[in-house]
Amino acid sequence: MFSKDIYIKRRQKLINDVDKGLILFLGNSESSMNFLHNTYKHRQDSSFLYFFGLDRHDLSAIIDAETGEVVVYGNDYSIDDIVWTGRQTSIADKAKSCGVDKSGTVDNLKSVLKEAQIKGRKIHFLPAYRDSNRIKIFEYLGIEPSNNEAEASVELIKAIVEQRNYKSNDEVLEITKACNTTVEMHLAAMRFAKPGMTEAQIAAEVEKVALAENGNISFATIATINGQTLHNHYHGNIIKEGQMFLLDAGAETPMGYAGDMSSTFPVGKSFTSEQRDIYQVALNSHEKSISMLKPGVSFKEIYFESAREIMRGMKDLGFVKGNVDDAVQAGAHGMFFPCGLGHMMGLDVHDMEDLGEQYVGYNNEEKSKEFGLKSLRLGRDLEPGFVLTIEPGIYFIPELIDMWKADNKYSDFLNYDKIEKFRNFGGIRNEEDFLITENGYQLLGKELPKTIVDVESERLKAFE
Ligand code: GLY
Ligand code: MN
């Protein structure tokens, strides 16, 4: 964890920003796989990590926004637990390590909350994304699990987003560590994959890099020859010469900070000429987006420019016709680019998605409901301290082609005869992570090979 002063400062700012009442933080419980004691690797809640840095299951905390009192709650292990888990730091000592002098048991927590309710005090809590915490909030506060999100405190969400969206230098160093490991994960795949292997073999080679750093993967690895399926977690195919391989994978540091990168490379030593042409269009869009990163620029505008760049390139290749600006204005780029351009990243790979994208990525404005644009997780003006991904892609999704073609959708802009011939082409995406600085941007982590020449030269290492 960071030094305790950092957590004290973060909590003090929260106390200043939240007007009245108690702020309740619920850490995460263990999560079972197939029976109670067979659990997934524990992942602490990110807001709990941000304000307390404590990575044990079943911890909670209350901050009194009026008196400034902070208490960490949890039950100490009994000897029955210790024989299985080994010696554990007491809850009191854990609390002290993040600058909190007071601690209590779960029963103490329940009575403090009951008393506050009797006195009619406001109790702020965050929307729960795990059922175990929905149930705890029901048990502690009587709020039905189905009302959890509606009853969560918008004031608290906004105050937390206002802190977590701006990464400190210490956080940037941690994220950079995650990004460097993430680059190594991608290099491992490029130097390993060969025709005849399964996607699963490559996924395993990639994930071991993150695990060997004593961290974890930051999200479920996408390692696929079917890159047109955006979140494709199936790893059962045998990869063949002539196909492209899309890897979207990232590392999480032991402190919980994420990296998130994508690369696309040929399964053989080199891309085919059709793959090369379309790869270059996707890469041009990626580079164009990066060149626009600086404070004051709207990320939504960068998204539209990345879409125009894709449509310009696809027009040169005969997939698109008509005026490119009009095509993007109408939404025709959704055929190839039906998702967003990037997202905030930090303690979560999609940072604070649990708190709501309208607060994190849209500065409290409503998000679009249009196809394509509704998947843009970030649309606000950029500010120094933001950490985000850039990840435009070009995808040929057979079901989308069939549906839009049947409806003659955007037929003024889309050349369906040509698109149809590429229905099994797959998908291409490059993704890198950036910090917005006072004057522009900084790439986080080492550079990933992404030009055609660099990717093909990296691929040769797999065949040496
Ligand atoms: N890396 C997966 C995603 O950004 O959705
Ligand atoms: Mn991403």
Side-chain angles (χ1 to χ4, degrees):
M1 58 195 285
F2 293 123
S3 78
K4 64 180 168 195
D5 298 345
I6 289 184
Y7 301 103
I8 292 170
K9 257 196 216 133
R10 289 172 177 178
R11 292 193 298 264
Q12 192 52 52
K13 176 154 171 48
L14 197 62
I15 290 165
N16 296 342
D17 291 351
V18 173
D19 192 29
K20 278 195 161 54
L22 297 183
I23 304 169
L24 169 64
F25 281 98
L26 293 183
N28 279 335
S29 303
E30 295 280 24
S31 188
S32 297
M33 288 196 280
N34 49 347
F35 54 88
L36 187 64
H37 289 121
N38 196 22
T39 55
Y40 293 102
K41 184 172 161 59
H42 176 65
R43 178 55 161 81
Q44 182 56 289
D45 172 73
S46 296
S47 289
F48 197 90
L49 274 182
Y50 186 83
F51 289 103
F52 300 91
L54 303 177
D55 190 17
R56 206 201 88 165
H57 61 90
D58 292 307
L59 294 176
S60 314
I62 291 182
I63 301 178
D64 189 320
E66 289 154 59
T67 65
E69 184 184 65
V70 187
V71 186
V72 169
Y73 297 93
N75 289 342
D76 279 316
Y77 281 99
S78 69
I79 191 66
D80 288 328
D81 302 311
I82 288 170
V83 293
W84 294 99
T85 60
R87 189 192 313 196
Q88 301 292 323
T89 315
S90 69
I91 302 295
D93 284 345
K94 278 188 183 295
K96 284 200 187 90
S97 71
C98 66
V100 178
D101 291 332
K102 292 192 179 143
S103 62
T105 64
V106 175
D107 281 344
N108 297 149
L109 169 79
K110 289 182 193 171
S111 18
V112 168
L113 291 172
K114 274 277 161 307
E115 198 180 315
Q117 279 192 315
I118 291 166
K119 287 189 179 150
R121 296 192 71 190
K122 168 88 185 155
I123 301 173
H124 302 268
F125 64 88
L126 295 175
Y129 50 88
R130 287 195 185 181
D131 288 344
S132 52
N133 277 349
R134 281 176 195 269
I135 292 167
K136 278 186 187 170
I137 291 189
F138 178 55
E139 194 189 336
Y140 300 166
L141 305 178
I143 292 166
E144 293 285 341
S146 57
N147 279 345
N148 182 283
E149 207 173 313
E151 300 271 338
S153 166
V154 172
E155 186 185 356
L156 177 61
I157 290 173
K158 288 183 180 171
I160 291 180
V161 166
E162 191 55 27
Q163 287 200 53
R164 285 183 57 192
N165 257 349
Y166 302 90
K167 271 61 182 181
S168 66
N169 293 340
D170 303 290
E171 289 187 287
V172 170
L173 283 177
E174 269 299 306
I175 297 171
T176 304
K177 272 189 217 161
C179 290
N180 279 328
T181 307
T182 300
V183 169
E184 293 301 330
M185 293 163 80
H186 284 260
L187 292 176
M190 289 184 199
R191 293 169 185 172
F192 176 74
K194 275 205 221 166
M197 290 179 175
T198 62
E199 294 165 325
Q201 282 176 277
I202 296 149
E205 194 69 16
V206 165
E207 292 186 3
K208 85 175 187 198
V209 177
L211 300 186
E213 293 294 325
N214 198 25
N216 201 353
I217 51 173
S218 52
F219 58 94
T221 301
I222 298 164
T224 179
I225 48 172
N226 288 310
Q228 75 282 1
T229 302
L230 300 176
H231 280 176
N232 192 342
H233 298 134
Y234 178 74
H235 294 155
N237 294 305
I238 294 176
I239 65 173
K240 298 194 185 84
E241 178 79 41
Q243 293 173 326
M244 283 182 299
F245 195 88
L246 191 153
L247 177 68
D248 186 344
E252 179 178 281
T253 64
M255 278 182 60
Y257 284 88
D260 178 12
M261 295 179 192
S262 301
S263 54
T264 309
F265 54 83
V267 168
K269 290 182 185 155
S270 48
F271 290 106
T272 66
S273 73
E274 283 170 346
Q275 289 167 351
R276 198 176 278 258
D277 287 345
I278 298 174
Y279 184 96
Q280 191 58 50
V281 174
L283 184 60
N284 291 347
S285 170
H286 184 78
E287 297 297 1
K288 178 80 198 182
S289 309
I290 295 168
S291 73
M292 293 175 73
L293 289 174
K294 64 173 182 193
V297 175
S298 151
F299 199 74
K300 200 187 281 178
E301 193 37 55
I302 304 180
Y303 159 81
F304 278 119
E305 189 51 34
S306 73
R308 285 190 283 269
E309 192 65 38
I310 285 172
M311 292 299 265
R312 277 193 280 273
M314 294 305 264
K315 185 174 172 184
D316 290 344
L317 296 177
F319 293 95
V320 167
K321 54 193 175 178
N323 181 288
V324 161
D325 291 355
D326 293 346
V328 170
Q329 176 81 22
H333 58 287
M335 169 57 80
F336 310 109
F337 183 29
C339 51
L341 174 68
H343 49 84
M344 297 286 205
M345 192 183 77
L347 278 166
D348 307 299
V349 61
H350 294 174
D351 212 23
M352 292 172 275
E353 198 165 291
D354 59 318
L355 304 186
E357 284 171 352
Q358 75 273 30
Y359 305 116
V360 180
Y362 283 83
N363 209 6
N364 311 329
E365 278 167 31
E366 256 207 64
K367 273 182 70 182
S368 166
K369 294 188 173 60
E370 273 174 51
F371 182 80
L373 202 52
K374 73 176 174 196
S375 306
L376 183 63
R377 302 176 197 282
L378 174 57
R380 66 195 285 174
D381 290 355
L382 299 179
E383 295 182 50
F386 285 5
V387 166
L388 49 84
T389 68
I390 291 289
E391 49 178 311
I394 297 180
Y395 310 98
F396 287 79
I397 302 170
E399 295 77 5
L400 186 61
I401 297 170
D402 291 344
M403 184 188 262
W404 282 18
K405 189 179 171 192
D407 293 346
N408 228 6
K409 200 162 174 173
Y410 302 124
S411 53
D412 290 348
F413 302 118
L414 299 175
N415 182 353
Y416 280 108
D417 289 344
K418 172 111 188 190
I419 293 170
E420 184 61 51
K421 292 194 183 106
F422 282 70
R423 62 185 288 115
N424 296 318
F425 179 82
I428 294 172
R429 170 166 73 252
N430 282 293
E431 176 179 17
E432 292 171 299
D433 308 327
F434 298 91
L435 167 71
I436 304 301
T437 61
E438 291 297 330
N439 305 311
Y441 66 89
Q442 179 193 322
L443 173 72
L444 295 176
K446 294 170 283 194
E447 266 195 60
L448 201 59
K450 55 184 174 175
T451 64
I452 291 171
V453 169
D454 287 351
V455 171
E456 289 183 346
S457 118
E458 203 62 42
R459 288 293 293 132
L460 287 181
K461 296 179 186 167
F463 297 88
E464 277 167 6

